[in-house]
PDB file of all heavy atoms in Angstrom:
ATOM      1  N   TYR A  56     145.781  32.107 168.471  1.00  0.00           N
ATOM      2  CA  TYR A  56     147.001  31.866 169.252  1.00  0.00           C
ATOM      3  C   TYR A  56     146.648  31.795 170.732  1.00  0.00           C
ATOM      4  O   TYR A  56     145.695  32.439 171.173  1.00  0.00           O
ATOM      5  CB  TYR A  56     148.020  32.984 168.999  1.00  0.00           C
ATOM      6  CG  TYR A  56     148.682  32.911 167.641  1.00  0.00           C
ATOM      7  CD1 TYR A  56     148.254  33.732 166.603  1.00  0.00           C
ATOM      8  CD2 TYR A  56     149.736  32.036 167.388  1.00  0.00           C
ATOM      9  CE1 TYR A  56     148.854  33.678 165.348  1.00  0.00           C
ATOM     10  CE2 TYR A  56     150.345  31.974 166.147  1.00  0.00           C
ATOM     11  CZ  TYR A  56     149.895  32.798 165.129  1.00  0.00           C
ATOM     12  OH  TYR A  56     150.490  32.734 163.898  1.00  0.00           O
ATOM     13  N   THR A  59     145.481  34.885 173.440  1.00  0.00           N
ATOM     14  CA  THR A  59     145.008  36.057 172.696  1.00  0.00           C
ATOM     15  C   THR A  59     143.493  35.961 172.551  1.00  0.00           C
ATOM     16  O   THR A  59     142.926  34.872 172.588  1.00  0.00           O
ATOM     17  CB  THR A  59     145.609  36.152 171.279  1.00  0.00           C
ATOM     18  OG1 THR A  59     145.207  34.985 170.542  1.00  0.00           O
ATOM     19  CG2 THR A  59     147.117  36.239 171.297  1.00  0.00           C
ATOM     20  N   GLU A  61     141.961  37.660 169.935  1.00  0.00           N
ATOM     21  CA  GLU A  61     141.693  37.734 168.503  1.00  0.00           C
ATOM     22  C   GLU A  61     141.870  36.384 167.822  1.00  0.00           C
ATOM     23  O   GLU A  61     142.681  35.568 168.257  1.00  0.00           O
ATOM     24  CB  GLU A  61     142.679  38.710 167.861  1.00  0.00           C
ATOM     25  CG  GLU A  61     142.124  40.095 167.690  1.00  0.00           C
ATOM     26  CD  GLU A  61     143.185  41.003 167.114  1.00  0.00           C
ATOM     27  OE1 GLU A  61     143.425  40.891 165.895  1.00  0.00           O
ATOM     28  OE2 GLU A  61     143.772  41.787 167.875  1.00  0.00           O
ATOM     29  N   ALA A  63     143.319  34.815 164.605  1.00  0.00           N
ATOM     30  CA  ALA A  63     144.263  35.233 163.562  1.00  0.00           C
ATOM     31  C   ALA A  63     143.810  34.779 162.179  1.00  0.00           C
ATOM     32  O   ALA A  63     143.992  35.488 161.188  1.00  0.00           O
ATOM     33  CB  ALA A  63     145.649  34.688 163.863  1.00  0.00           C
ATOM     34  N   PRO A  82     146.667  42.886 153.618  1.00  0.00           N
ATOM     35  CA  PRO A  82     147.472  43.844 154.375  1.00  0.00           C
ATOM     36  C   PRO A  82     148.158  43.175 155.560  1.00  0.00           C
ATOM     37  O   PRO A  82     147.852  42.029 155.899  1.00  0.00           O
ATOM     38  CB  PRO A  82     146.451  44.885 154.851  1.00  0.00           C
ATOM     39  CG  PRO A  82     145.119  44.271 154.686  1.00  0.00           C
ATOM     40  CD  PRO A  82     145.232  43.167 153.689  1.00  0.00           C
ATOM     41  N   SER A  83     149.065  43.884 156.184  1.00  0.00           N
ATOM     42  CA  SER A  83     149.796  43.354 157.326  1.00  0.00           C
ATOM     43  C   SER A  83     148.814  42.960 158.433  1.00  0.00           C
ATOM     44  O   SER A  83     147.860  43.676 158.703  1.00  0.00           O
ATOM     45  CB  SER A  83     150.757  44.442 157.804  1.00  0.00           C
ATOM     46  OG  SER A  83     151.392  44.013 158.958  1.00  0.00           O
ATOM     47  N   GLY A  84     149.049  41.801 159.024  1.00  0.00           N
ATOM     48  CA  GLY A  84     148.204  41.338 160.126  1.00  0.00           C
ATOM     49  C   GLY A  84     146.940  40.623 159.700  1.00  0.00           C
ATOM     50  O   GLY A  84     146.093  40.310 160.521  1.00  0.00           O
ATOM     51  N   SER A  85     146.808  40.329 158.394  1.00  0.00           N
ATOM     52  CA  SER A  85     145.562  39.715 157.924  1.00  0.00           C
ATOM     53  C   SER A  85     145.562  38.186 158.064  1.00  0.00           C
ATOM     54  O   SER A  85     144.572  37.547 157.742  1.00  0.00           O
ATOM     55  CB  SER A  85     145.297  40.120 156.467  1.00  0.00           C
ATOM     56  OG  SER A  85     146.392  39.811 155.645  1.00  0.00           O
ATOM     57  N   GLY A  86     146.662  37.609 158.531  1.00  0.00           N
ATOM     58  CA  GLY A  86     146.673  36.164 158.781  1.00  0.00           C
ATOM     59  C   GLY A  86     147.391  35.345 157.727  1.00  0.00           C
ATOM     60  O   GLY A  86     147.307  34.120 157.717  1.00  0.00           O
ATOM     61  N   LYS A  87     148.158  35.995 156.854  1.00  0.00           N
ATOM     62  CA  LYS A  87     148.829  35.293 155.755  1.00  0.00           C
ATOM     63  C   LYS A  87     149.913  34.346 156.258  1.00  0.00           C
ATOM     64  O   LYS A  87     149.946  33.170 155.893  1.00  0.00           O
ATOM     65  CB  LYS A  87     149.454  36.312 154.772  1.00  0.00           C
ATOM     66  CG  LYS A  87     148.495  37.373 154.271  1.00  0.00           C
ATOM     67  CD  LYS A  87     149.160  38.343 153.316  1.00  0.00           C
ATOM     68  CE  LYS A  87     150.307  39.143 153.890  1.00  0.00           C
ATOM     69  NZ  LYS A  87     149.906  40.145 154.899  1.00  0.00           N
ATOM     70  N   THR A  88     150.808  34.889 157.079  1.00  0.00           N
ATOM     71  CA  THR A  88     151.911  34.052 157.574  1.00  0.00           C
ATOM     72  C   THR A  88     151.381  32.916 158.437  1.00  0.00           C
ATOM     73  O   THR A  88     151.875  31.777 158.351  1.00  0.00           O
ATOM     74  CB  THR A  88     152.919  34.921 158.368  1.00  0.00           C
ATOM     75  OG1 THR A  88     153.485  35.879 157.469  1.00  0.00           O
ATOM     76  CG2 THR A  88     154.033  34.080 158.953  1.00  0.00           C
ATOM     77  N   THR A  89     150.373  33.212 159.236  1.00  0.00           N
ATOM     78  CA  THR A  89     149.781  32.160 160.069  1.00  0.00           C
ATOM     79  C   THR A  89     149.246  31.025 159.195  1.00  0.00           C
ATOM     80  O   THR A  89     149.475  29.842 159.477  1.00  0.00           O
ATOM     81  CB  THR A  89     148.650  32.762 160.933  1.00  0.00           C
ATOM     82  OG1 THR A  89     149.185  33.820 161.726  1.00  0.00           O
ATOM     83  CG2 THR A  89     148.029  31.709 161.838  1.00  0.00           C
TER      84      THR A  89
HETATM   85  P1  ADP B 531     150.345  38.651 158.177  1.00  0.00           P
HETATM   86  O1  ADP B 531     151.363  37.630 157.797  1.00  0.00           O
HETATM   87  O2  ADP B 531     149.195  38.737 157.229  1.00  0.00           O
HETATM   88  O3  ADP B 531     150.948  40.004 158.416  1.00  0.00           O
HETATM   89  P2  ADP B 531     150.088  37.143 160.641  1.00  0.00           P
HETATM   90  O4  ADP B 531     149.596  35.809 160.259  1.00  0.00           O
HETATM   91  O5  ADP B 531     151.532  37.268 160.980  1.00  0.00           O
HETATM   92  O6  ADP B 531     149.653  38.221 159.566  1.00  0.00           O
HETATM   93  O7  ADP B 531     149.273  37.645 161.917  1.00  0.00           O
HETATM   94  C1  ADP B 531     147.850  37.563 162.002  1.00  0.00           C
HETATM   95  C2  ADP B 531     147.422  37.995 163.389  1.00  0.00           C
HETATM   96  O8  ADP B 531     147.907  37.063 164.361  1.00  0.00           O
HETATM   97  C3  ADP B 531     147.948  39.359 163.814  1.00  0.00           C
HETATM   98  O9  ADP B 531     146.956  40.012 164.573  1.00  0.00           O
HETATM   99  C4  ADP B 531     149.147  39.002 164.681  1.00  0.00           C
HETATM  100  O10 ADP B 531     149.373  40.001 165.636  1.00  0.00           O
HETATM  101  C5  ADP B 531     148.727  37.705 165.320  1.00  0.00           C
HETATM  102  N1  ADP B 531     149.868  36.828 165.610  1.00  0.00           N
HETATM  103  C6  ADP B 531     150.802  36.395 164.736  1.00  0.00           C
HETATM  104  N2  ADP B 531     151.705  35.590 165.321  1.00  0.00           N
HETATM  105  C7  ADP B 531     151.322  35.491 166.629  1.00  0.00           C
HETATM  106  C8  ADP B 531     151.834  34.804 167.780  1.00  0.00           C
HETATM  107  N3  ADP B 531     152.920  34.023 167.688  1.00  0.00           N
HETATM  108  N4  ADP B 531     151.180  34.943 168.957  1.00  0.00           N
HETATM  109  C9  ADP B 531     150.081  35.725 169.049  1.00  0.00           C
HETATM  110  N5  ADP B 531     149.542  36.399 168.020  1.00  0.00           N
HETATM  111  C10 ADP B 531     150.157  36.300 166.821  1.00  0.00           C
END
Side-chain angles (χ1 to χ4, degrees):
Y56 287 101
T59 61
E61 264 177 76
S83 175
S85 55
K87 308 180 299 291
T88 297
T89 302

